[in-house]
Amino acid sequence: MNTFAVATLQEEVRGLARERGAVILAHNYQLPEVQDIADYVGDSLGLSHQAQATDADTIVFCGVHFMAETAAILCPDKTVLIPDPDAGCSLAASITAEQLRHWKSQHPGAVVVSYVNTTAEVKAESDYCCTSGNARAVIEAIPADHQILFLPDMFLGVWLERVTGRKLTIWLGECHVHAGIRPADIQLWQTEAPDAELLVHPECGCASQCMAFGNDRTHILSTEQMVRFATQSPKQRFLVATEIGILHRLNQEAPGKTFEAVSENAICKYMKMITLEKVRDTLRDGKHEVSVDKDIADRARLAIERMVAIA
Ligand code: 13P
Ligand code: SF4
């Protein structure tokens, strides 16, 4: 699509959102042209806060399915629409509620902390939910004598063990996008760009994190924390180890600074399934409502509300 066609479609989307009284929320990994029509762009935690805070009756969620589902659970009186219901998440798919029930039965009395990248059914089996933005605070809020089952991301789990000093029992799931950012990618940049700060998402592979811990130019951050860090830092150059959609947001928020992807291949195909055309169709036709079975939603809400309450 040429620039004019994109701008025309964006105008149509904004007009339809006004007519419908809808708020558009977009994740930091969304396509640039989708981020640009959103009322709010942010990470999983920020989007949950925005969903809860909005006065709008309809939320159009530009992100993957578990994120829209989380908004639907937090806001049972609002209509949550997703432009493509097939926008999944390989990490969320790495554990089912049945697998979690079995795991819990092997560890009676343990506290279950689920990353937000999970289905509603898995959240309903959990005591706490967390995002990369508050995972550390959630773990630290749990009394030290409790065993914690942490799921589903093993790299985030290992990072949490390091920063909290707690021993966690960790599910062996991973995000294929972040696991694909290899230690060699980091190493290359460490030598080629000694003047740059390195921003690493905690879902990235364990080996790259271990190396990354070796110097004070490296920062393990959620996507929103990366934006905050880059805008507040006096530094000019940043290497970014996460999904490359974040580069658009970083460039918008910190114009004049330089942001480079550690791996150009770090693309989440699910996030990219949300296109401007699909956002337009969703708003025009009111389609792809995300709804969660009431019993599951009621059980999952407690864990999610605990997540939203812990900053
Ligand atoms: P954030 O919570 O940092 O936005 O990350 C979400 C996600 O899906 C990372 O892959
Ligand atoms: Fe899921 Fe990974 Fe995509 Fe994030 S980047 S939505 S964890 S598949």
Side-chain angles (χ1 to χ4, degrees):
M1 234 191 300
N2 63 39
T3 321
F4 179 72
V6 170
T8 307
L9 194 47
Q10 285 178 320
E11 221 168 285
E12 187 182 356
V13 167
R14 287 307 321 165
L16 286 164
R18 264 193 308 278
E19 266 170 40
R20 194 174 259 280
V23 67
I24 303 178
L25 306 182
H27 189 265
N28 287 322
Y29 298 160
Q30 289 290 290
L31 291 166
E33 62 270 25
V34 172
Q35 292 191 27
D36 291 347
I37 47 91
D39 295 290
Y40 178 83
V41 185
D43 66 355
S44 312
L45 186 60
L47 295 172
S48 294
H49 283 138
Q50 291 296 322
Q52 253 191 337
T54 183
D55 292 333
D57 294 330
T58 301
I59 297 169
V60 174
F61 209 109
C62 300
V64 292
H65 193 264
F66 76 79
M67 295 180 176
E69 210 176 44
T70 305
I73 295 167
L74 277 173
C75 316
D77 300 331
K78 292 172 189 161
T79 302
V80 178
L81 304 174
I82 186 163
D84 189 330
D86 293 328
C89 166
S90 61
L91 180 57
S94 71
I95 184 166
T96 64
E98 203 181 321
Q99 286 173 310
L100 176 52
R101 279 191 289 273
H102 179 67
W103 201 34
K104 278 165 62 172
S105 74
Q106 296 173 316
H107 302 276
V111 176
V112 177
V113 179
S114 291
Y115 192 35
V116 70
N117 298 42
T118 43
T119 62
E121 289 79 5
V122 166
K123 289 186 177 82
E125 295 290 336
S126 308
D127 298 300
Y128 290 82
C129 216
C130 69
T131 70
S132 52
N134 70 355
R136 180 180 181 168
V138 169
I139 297 295
E140 285 171 347
I142 298 168
D145 58 343
H146 287 48
Q147 182 189 6
I148 298 175
L149 301 185
F150 182 82
L151 66 112
D153 191 90
M154 61 175 151
F155 298 123
L156 178 61
V158 170
W159 174 73
L160 285 169
E161 284 190 322
R162 279 172 171 267
V163 293
T164 65
R166 293 279 291 268
K167 178 85 192 93
L168 307 177
T169 306
I170 301 170
W171 187 258
L172 297 181
E174 64 175 30
C175 156
H176 69 291
V177 178
H178 287 87
I181 300 175
R182 309 308 311 166
D185 297 323
I186 305 273
Q187 204 163 26
L188 181 74
W189 279 107
Q190 295 273 31
T191 31
E192 286 199 359
D195 57 326
E197 299 290 296
L198 178 64
L199 313 181
V200 182
H201 195 278
E203 283 176 28
C204 286
C206 188
S208 45
Q209 281 186 45
C210 293
M211 284 171 30
F213 269 92
N215 69 58
D216 61 5
R217 289 191 292 120
T218 303
H219 314 276
I220 313 290
L221 302 165
S222 79
T223 57
E224 197 61 25
Q225 288 166 347
M226 288 182 186
V227 174
R228 219 171 304 141
F229 183 90
T231 51
Q232 289 169 3
S233 168
K235 300 286 171 49
Q236 280 303 307
R237 187 175 182 194
F238 302 85
L239 305 175
V240 183
T242 191
E243 211 275 352
I244 61 170
I246 187 77
L247 295 174
H248 179 67
R249 176 89 198 285
L250 287 165
N251 284 317
Q252 299 285 111
E253 301 280 344
K257 295 191 177 185
T258 305
F259 300 100
E260 290 147 285
V262 161
S263 167
E264 293 287 347
N265 298 327
I267 298 173
C268 176
K269 65 178 180 188
Y270 304 111
M271 285 282 179
K272 286 0 184 202
M273 287 166 79
I274 310 296
T275 61
L276 263 187
E277 287 93 337
K278 290 180 193 172
V279 180
R280 187 261 326 270
D281 295 352
T282 288
L283 278 161
R284 189 190 55 204
D285 306 334
K287 65 184 181 183
H288 307 315
E289 181 167 353
V290 178
S291 57
V292 182
D293 176 87
K294 186 174 175 332
D295 174 54
I296 289 171
D298 288 345
R299 288 195 290 131
R301 192 170 300 113
L302 185 62
I304 298 172
E305 282 177 348
R306 282 174 165 166
M307 166 187 95
V308 177
I310 300 175

